Amino acid sequence: MKNKIKIFLTIMALSTSLGIFNTLGQVIPRDTAVRIGKLSNGLTYYIRHNTIPKNQADFYIAQKVGSVLEEENQRGLAHFLEHMAFNGTKHFPGNMLITELEKKGIKFGANINAYTGYDETVYKLTNIPLNRPGILDTALIILHDWSGFILNNDKDIDEERGVIREEWRTRSSSYLRVQENQILPKLFEGTPYANRLPIGLMEVVNNFKPQELKNYYKKWYRPDLQGIVVVGDFDVDEVEAKLKHVFSDIPKPSNPTSRKYFTIPDNKQPIIAITSDPEIRNTSAVVYWKLDTVEASKKESQQYFKIMLINRIVSNMLNERFAEMARENKATNSLSAIMGNYSVSSRPAWNLNIDAPNNDLKTALRTGLQECERMRRFGFSKNEFEYSIKDFNLTHNESQYYDRKNRNTFEYSREYVGQFLNGDISPTPEWRYLMTRSILNELSVDTLNFYAKKYIQDRNMAFEILYPVKEGLLLPSKSDIIKIWEEVKQTRLKPWIKDEKSNDLTTLKIPARGKVIKTEKNIAPFGFTKWSLSNGIEVWFKKTGYDEPSVYIYGFKAGGYSTVVMDDLPSAMAYTNIASLSTFEGINGRAQVQSKLDKNFESITGNGTILHPKILFQNIYLKMTKFKNEQEAFGNWKHKQQERNQSRSVNPQTVYADTLVSIMSNHHPRALSLNNPKVLDKVDYERINRLHEEHFGNANGFTFIMSGNLNEDSVKVLAEIWLGGLPSTNKLGKILDHRIYPPQGIVKRHFNKKMETPQSSITIGYTGEIPYTAENSVLMSISSEILKMIFTETIREQEGGSYGVGVSGELMKHPTERFLFQVNFDTDPNPIKKKKLIDIVYRELKMIMDKGPDQEKVEKVKQNLLKDYRESISKKDAKYWNGYQGAILFYGVDWITGYDKIISSITPEMIRSFTKDIFNQGNLIEVVMDPETK
């Protein structure tokens, strides 16, 4: 009640002071907390102070330059230039930029990165620790160098060609191929978007002259097309002064080439792109209705804010219809709608996304178009409207406003980058909340339907259709697609009737209240209170004191599907998917709860709001005591899964993943997969229902962890009623060890698979036993990161052999303490080159076992882990406390107390000894997938 009064008083005060409800014709007031300026050379900047996370900042430079500006003989240069930004700049020659930042715990990839789009290129330094001397100045100088002082040395350019080739090879999925060759040329005929994929043409990448890249750089990287975004825990005046000083030496361009923005033309007749590829697994389609492009100046109006809000609500309402159709099995296809963009362009468009089961596109397309046509003719009902408005206000507007002080720096950074590139406006959270609330209060169903009916038109329509290559499967013609749309428009339709269901909460009877039989307070190390309930449940609760709208709860019990008999195992493995179909009415987004079964545990996860904690507890009670009859939805799910299984074999990467899983489990009879059609056939709804009763019908042995800004006595009462009232028996859960472990000894499996883009996929893995301790976890993390750095230097940079080498190490607690260490990468299938790269992996693994790593690399990784540690403990919200208390109860490990001391204590000799222990247990798995030879 106190929170409701607080929000009400705030609303009244702000409403009076701002006076924003008189007209929607006014300009959106900018958030004055962000300082926006422009230097004399044309460079724009955005600076904001934000303390989450503390002592950290994000630094971005956004360029209004992307692949769409390339000439035909430059295709790929925009993306290539992005790579060169990390290969030497004025103040950081060679790889000094990455090396110097890594010494400060700033990790390449995670904290140092960039991307190239069609219309923009964005570079970023994120989560930069400001407690390191001079780091703020260093970050600004890096942005300065990226703006106009990338060296582009000829030797570095030539060495980077191999990395780009391998990136192209890794990213050449079936969708990318049809997008490049079949979809974009049709959707964007006559515009540069038709053939300007950012990755470019390998013919250009392999053969362009270095001077061509330098000319492109000089032409387009200039301050009038650049925006700097700096957000973090600093003094804004100081940062602004530093920024002006650092960027003052960049001259204003004289007679610059005009940055052209390309218009996507209207079309009277539908544009239809019908495509196919041997590695496409399922038939799908996207239908676009292009809308008018909004000028940047109009995005500043409050009317634009209103229309964007209505667009979101309309999308939500139509998707709710699609969800209801899926629940009631009225459509076996998957449908979704969103107000987005026209494919890869920035032109706005209404998007209808369709997945067609059994490759029956005609039926799926007809169903989706029919619902869009129904919306165009009749709009939405008053009941749908009222439900959606209430849901949107509760789940989005109120929670976002209540959580406004907890916004992460990353959110602000992304927002201002978008503001610079797209002309969007960022109002204050208070204004956004009040305006949204005002619009929702005044909005009528007739006004909403006015806009909803405008989206679906005959003009500016386009179809993007993807088919697998399959024997006997005939692709439709363009006339077939047009005919379906014309028939839909002539179909006699009725208004949508919302299925009015009973409210599960109003019919829920209060159970016999349990009792707290023991209370333990302020339990070390985190100060939780533990209540032992009379039915065998333990509840751990901590009042956070953190000003946030959400509360989180997690419950678990030992057992999972390790305890089920073989005949029930397929159904147990499907349980989590089917349980997600079981939803309760009357929750209205105020609480979300999911029950799960995994290998070793059954669990309940839930989240709600501090305004409605009772609903969260009620939902948990319902979820554990009632398995709603969703047999039709189950049949729909199983049908879709069966179709996916039929097409898995055409995709090389799914075949590779399935092979790895099978080998890693040593082909154990209980290591089943729902991707196997024979296993899926045995999934039975009645068995799932029975398994729910067996695993969740007995609450004895469940442990619940809950955190939030709630009164402890109130939570205790709710726990006694809704958790203490759960049925229980004397049977406790336990994990059964079926010894589903990787094979012992050396196992090598090399196989061939037909693929459209030839590449070799390689995994080298080590397995064995190891104690599950905090120190071993740190040693595994540091060892993995050091080897990733080594393989980046050798395999990626020196050899140009792979776009990236993945290195991962994992410790497992249950059912026994073990580890899995893997190195994986994709590369050119050339046998000589492939063998050389595999030899490098084994050579470097032996080197670290024999001599240990360089001290410098150890320090770099340690600094990054310490940075991550400080960041993780800076926001002590409900998720934080639940996670770390859960780790103690689940794994028996405290990841907070003294964790930084463990990191700091690690030496190269400890790494050498640790890697020797894990790599010398004699268990090696090497799996290589090569393309079939013709």
Side-chain angles (χ1 to χ4, degrees):
M1 178 60 71
K2 184 185 292 185
N3 289 309
K4 291 182 179 179
I5 294 172
K6 181 180 177 182
I7 291 176
F8 175 75
L9 293 175
T10 303
I11 291 169
M12 294 304 297
L14 286 169
S15 300
T16 304
S17 63
L18 294 176
I20 62 174
F21 302 133
N22 297 324
T23 175
L24 286 172
Q26 299 176 0
V27 172
I28 297 173
R30 293 180 182 270
D31 187 352
T32 56
V34 56
R35 185 168 299 176
I36 305 173
K38 181 174 285 191
L39 303 183
S40 58
N41 58 15
L43 183 136
T44 304
Y45 62 83
Y46 301 75
I47 307 172
R48 183 187 182 108
H49 174 257
N50 191 54
T51 59
I52 300 176
K54 291 182 179 179
N55 299 318
Q56 292 191 14
D58 285 357
F59 300 79
Y60 283 72
I61 179 167
Q63 324 261 358
K64 293 181 179 179
V65 178
S67 60
V68 77
L69 296 176
E70 297 167 343
E71 302 294 339
E72 183 65 23
N73 64 346
Q74 297 176 323
R75 289 174 62 179
L77 293 195
H79 173 251
F80 204 110
L81 186 55
E82 174 215 314
H83 277 240
M84 295 310 300
F86 302 98
N87 282 282
T89 67
K90 177 180 178 180
H91 293 94
F92 302 93
N95 65 348
M96 186 184 294
L97 187 153
I98 295 172
T99 299
E100 290 303 308
L101 290 179
E102 285 183 334
K103 289 178 182 178
K104 297 174 174 61
I106 303 164
K107 186 178 176 182
F108 179 59
N111 309 121
I112 313 164
N113 218 323
Y115 78 88
T116 303
Y118 284 83
D119 285 291
E120 78 282 348
T121 306
V122 179
Y123 301 85
K124 57 184 179 179
L125 303 171
T126 58
N127 300 114
I128 304 304
L130 298 180
N131 54 0
R132 303 301 297 262
I135 188 64
L136 197 152
D137 299 276
T138 299
L140 289 175
I141 292 171
I142 290 172
L143 297 189
H144 163 273
D145 281 9
W146 281 341
S147 71
F149 301 92
I150 299 173
L151 296 180
N152 289 316
N153 289 330
D154 292 8
K155 179 177 180 293
D156 295 331
I157 289 173
D158 287 336
E159 289 180 350
E160 197 66 21
R161 297 181 200 267
V163 176
I164 301 283
R165 283 195 299 270
E166 293 309 318
E167 180 179 0
W168 167 82
R169 192 188 310 279
T170 298
R171 297 188 186 279
S172 288
S173 64
S174 56
Y175 182 69
L176 190 70
R177 285 192 296 272
V178 298
Q179 189 182 41
E180 179 179 21
N181 300 318
Q182 303 177 56
I183 295 174
L184 298 183
K186 293 282 181 63
L187 297 185
F188 294 100
E189 185 177 0
T191 77
Y193 292 96
N195 50 20
R196 289 296 183 271
L197 276 178
I199 194 67
L201 295 178
M202 290 308 100
E203 181 181 353
V204 174
V205 168
N206 291 333
N207 298 299
F208 74 84
K209 292 180 173 56
Q211 189 58 46
E212 295 179 71
L213 184 66
K214 296 171 187 178
N215 293 342
Y216 181 90
Y217 179 47
K218 184 177 180 180
K219 179 179 181 180
W220 292 118
Y221 274 46
R222 56 184 206 241
D224 59 312
L225 297 177
Q226 294 171 336
I228 303 295
V229 174
V230 186
V231 182
D233 191 7
F234 48 64
D235 180 86
V236 171
D237 291 334
E238 178 187 0
V239 171
E240 183 179 36
K242 288 177 179 290
L243 187 148
K244 288 180 176 180
H245 174 72
V246 168
F247 287 88
S248 62
D249 69 338
I250 302 175
K252 182 178 181 179
S254 58
N255 299 318
T257 302
S258 175
R259 200 300 193 192
K260 185 177 180 181
Y261 290 89
F262 300 95
T263 301
I264 308 302
D266 293 342
N267 55 285
K268 293 183 179 179
Q269 298 300 317
I271 298 170
I272 301 174
I274 301 173
T275 68
S276 64
D277 187 274
E279 292 176 9
I280 288 177
R281 293 174 54 190
N282 302 301
T283 299
S284 63
V286 183
V287 184
Y288 301 100
W289 284 271
K290 290 185 284 189
L291 305 175
D292 291 338
T293 300
V294 181
E295 297 175 8
S297 59
K298 292 184 178 179
K299 291 183 179 182
E300 299 180 358
S301 72
Q302 295 180 15
Q303 179 67 17
Y304 175 75
F305 182 90
K306 174 184 176 180
I307 293 173
M308 290 299 100
L309 177 62
I310 290 174
N311 288 346
R312 291 182 63 181
I313 295 171
V314 170
S315 297
N316 292 345
M317 294 173 74
L318 185 57
N319 283 320
E320 177 56 33
R321 286 185 178 181
F322 292 153
E324 186 172 324
M325 291 169 64
R327 288 194 297 268
E328 301 300 325
N329 209 31
K330 295 175 183 176
T332 58
N333 50 290
S334 176
L335 302 168
S336 66
I338 187 172
M339 184 62 66
N341 292 332
Y342 179 53
S343 187
V344 300
S345 75
S346 58
R347 178 168 181 174
W350 179 263
N351 292 199
L352 172 66
N353 301 290
I354 302 168
D355 286 330
N358 299 324
N359 298 309
D360 184 6
L361 177 75
K362 292 183 178 180
T363 300
L365 184 60
R366 188 182 303 276
T367 302
L369 290 173
Q370 189 167 283
E371 292 313 314
C372 289
E373 175 66 14
R374 192 192 309 275
M375 181 182 76
R376 175 166 72 167
R377 290 190 207 174
F378 307 109
F380 296 95
S381 69
K382 187 175 181 180
N383 286 344
E384 288 179 287
F385 172 75
E386 291 176 350
Y387 178 91
S388 183
I389 293 296
K390 185 177 182 180
D391 182 62
F392 186 89
N393 200 35
L394 281 170
T395 60
H396 177 74
N397 197 39
E398 283 190 8
S399 62
Q400 187 179 68
Y401 173 73
Y402 197 91
D403 203 34
R404 66 194 183 282
K405 295 179 182 178
N406 302 321
R407 287 193 75 188
N408 194 286
T409 288
F410 167 73
E411 297 176 63
Y412 284 118
S413 301
R414 185 173 57 180
E415 185 175 317
Y416 301 144
V417 168
Q419 186 171 332
F420 171 71
L421 294 173
N422 306 315
D424 299 327
I425 301 299
S426 299
T428 65
E430 290 79 8
W431 186 92
R432 186 189 300 274
Y433 171 74
L434 289 169
M435 179 56 75
T436 299
R437 189 170 180 270
S438 174
I439 292 171
L440 295 179
N441 286 338
E442 297 176 7
L443 187 64
S444 68
V445 66
D446 291 336
T447 300
L448 181 131
N449 285 335
F450 169 78
Y451 287 99
K453 293 176 181 181
K454 290 172 61 178
Y455 301 143
I456 311 303
Q457 303 292 332
D458 286 334
R459 62 192 294 271
N460 285 331
M461 197 175 184
F463 294 81
E464 173 186 313
I465 298 169
L466 279 70
Y467 268 94
V469 174
K470 203 170 185 178
E471 186 176 352
L473 181 61
L474 299 177
L475 274 62
S477 65
K478 293 182 180 180
S479 59
D480 291 333
I481 302 302
I482 293 174
K483 182 181 179 182
I484 291 172
W485 175 230
E486 293 299 326
E487 290 175 349
V488 165
K489 291 189 293 183
Q490 300 302 317
T491 302
R492 296 185 62 181
L493 299 172
K494 296 180 180 180
W496 179 274
I497 300 176
K498 181 172 173 57
D499 186 13
E500 297 296 329
K501 298 181 180 180
S502 61
N503 188 319
D504 287 297
L505 293 185
T506 58
T507 59
L508 177 61
K509 295 181 180 180
I510 299 176
R513 180 172 175 172
K515 294 182 179 180
V516 171
I517 59 177
K518 184 179 180 181
T519 298
E520 300 171 64
K521 286 184 172 290
N522 200 30
I523 300 174
F526 304 136
F528 271 75
T529 294
K530 183 176 79 168
W531 298 307
S532 300
L533 301 181
S534 51
N535 60 351
I537 287 179
E538 287 185 351
V539 180
W540 294 70
F541 174 74
K542 182 177 178 66
K543 177 178 172 61
T544 63
Y546 195 87
D547 193 12
E548 61 177 329
S550 301
V551 290
Y552 298 89
I553 191 166
Y554 175 66
F556 65 92
K557 179 180 177 180
Y561 52 78
S562 75
T563 62
V564 306
V565 298
M566 194 69 184
D567 287 345
D568 286 347
L569 189 54
S571 299
M573 296 176 69
Y575 171 86
T576 300
N577 289 308
I578 307 310
S580 67
L581 305 175
S582 177
T583 58
F584 297 100
E585 302 303 316
I587 309 300
N588 280 352
R590 289 171 286 181
Q592 295 179 332
V593 174
Q594 176 65 58
S595 58
K596 299 179 181 179
L597 271 184
D598 63 25
K599 291 180 180 179
N600 301 308
F601 291 89
E602 44 254 39
S603 63
I604 289 278
T605 57
N607 65 80
T609 72
I610 62 171
L611 300 177
H612 307 285
K614 179 181 176 181
I615 293 177
L616 175 59
F617 278 91
Q618 289 176 318
N619 205 358
I620 290 172
Y621 181 87
L622 280 169
K623 198 70 174 178
M624 292 186 69
T625 59
K626 185 178 181 182
F627 197 79
K628 293 188 69 174
N629 187 353
E630 301 284 1
Q631 195 147 2
E632 287 186 343
F634 164 75
N636 191 3
W637 171 85
K638 190 171 182 179
H639 179 82
K640 291 178 181 178
Q641 189 67 36
Q642 287 170 332
E643 187 186 12
R644 292 191 188 100
N645 288 350
Q646 291 173 1
S647 59
R648 283 186 69 82
S649 62
V650 303
N651 188 296
Q653 290 307 312
T654 59
V655 172
Y656 186 62
D658 290 346
T659 303
L660 272 175
V661 169
S662 180
I663 293 172
M664 288 296 182
S665 64
N666 202 19
H667 311 288
H668 194 286
R670 286 184 66 93
L672 303 180
S673 170
L674 295 178
N675 296 326
N676 185 324
K678 293 181 180 179
V679 175
L680 183 64
D681 287 344
K682 295 179 181 179
V683 175
D684 179 77
Y685 190 78
E686 293 304 319
R687 285 184 174 178
I688 291 174
N689 202 334
R690 174 169 52 78
L691 287 166
H692 177 83
E693 173 64 26
E694 291 174 0
H695 289 265
F696 295 93
N698 171 24
N700 190 12
F702 262 94
T703 298
F704 284 88
I705 309 165
M706 184 178 185
S707 303
N709 194 16
L710 295 168
N711 177 272
E712 186 174 294
D713 291 335
S714 299
V715 174
K716 180 180 177 181
V717 171
L718 292 172
E720 286 184 319
I721 296 172
W722 300 107
L723 299 183
L726 288 166
S728 66
T729 69
N730 292 327
K731 186 178 180 181
L732 292 171
K734 64 177 181 179
I735 298 171
L736 299 182
D737 183 5
H738 298 280
R739 302 202 61 78
I740 307 175
Y741 301 132
Q744 292 187 325
I746 298 175
V747 176
K748 293 190 177 184
R749 171 77 192 282
H750 292 214
F751 68 98
N752 299 88
K753 178 75 177 92
K754 183 179 179 181
M755 55 185 76
E756 296 300 305
T757 302
Q759 69 174 9
S760 292
S761 297
I762 298 147
T763 296
I764 295 169
Y766 292 85
T767 66
E769 299 178 353
I770 192 171
Y772 193 100
T773 65
E775 183 177 278
N776 280 340
S777 176
V778 171
L779 286 166
M780 181 66 86
S781 295
I782 294 178
S783 301
S784 301
E785 290 302 321
I786 288 172
L787 285 164
K788 189 179 295 183
M789 292 168 66
I790 291 171
F791 294 139
T792 298
E793 293 172 1
T794 54
I795 292 179
R796 173 179 161 132
E797 300 300 334
Q798 294 174 13
E799 299 295 333
S802 180
Y803 177 54
V805 180
V807 183
S808 62
E810 177 186 6
L811 270 62
M812 290 156 281
K813 176 73 174 180
H814 307 289
T816 60
E817 297 179 339
R818 301 183 62 83
F819 76 89
L820 169 62
F821 179 92
Q822 293 186 99
V823 178
N824 55 76
F825 60 96
D826 298 327
T827 189
D828 189 320
N830 179 286
I832 297 175
K833 186 173 184 178
K834 179 182 63 179
K835 183 180 184 305
K836 183 178 182 181
L837 300 183
I838 292 175
D839 288 344
I840 288 173
V841 172
Y842 286 119
R843 181 192 74 199
E844 296 298 338
L845 295 180
K846 186 176 186 305
M847 186 79 70
I848 200 170
M849 284 190 290
D850 292 344
K851 297 182 179 181
D854 295 337
Q855 179 69 46
E856 182 179 342
K857 286 186 171 63
V858 175
E859 287 304 316
K860 286 180 179 180
V861 176
K862 285 166 59 175
Q863 289 303 317
N864 182 255
L865 288 181
L866 287 169
K867 181 182 78 70
D868 290 346
Y869 168 77
R870 287 189 289 267
E871 182 181 341
S872 70
I873 65 174
S874 66
K875 186 178 180 181
K876 293 181 172 62
D877 57 6
K879 282 185 177 179
Y880 169 93
W881 291 117
N882 271 18
Y884 287 112
Q885 181 62 37
I888 290 177
L889 299 176
F890 202 79
Y891 298 111
V893 174
D894 179 359
W895 296 113
I896 295 296
T897 311
Y899 190 68
D900 53 341
K901 294 181 181 178
I902 295 175
I903 296 171
S904 299
S905 71
I906 303 301
T907 65
E909 173 57 27
M910 293 171 71
I911 296 294
R912 188 200 65 77
S913 177
F914 177 79
T915 53
K916 189 174 182 179
D917 286 344
I918 64 173
F919 296 149
N920 277 344
Q921 294 194 23
N923 303 320
L924 166 68
I925 295 173
E926 179 185 291
V927 180
V928 179
M929 179 179 70
D930 292 319
E932 287 184 352
T933 55
K934 296 182 180 180

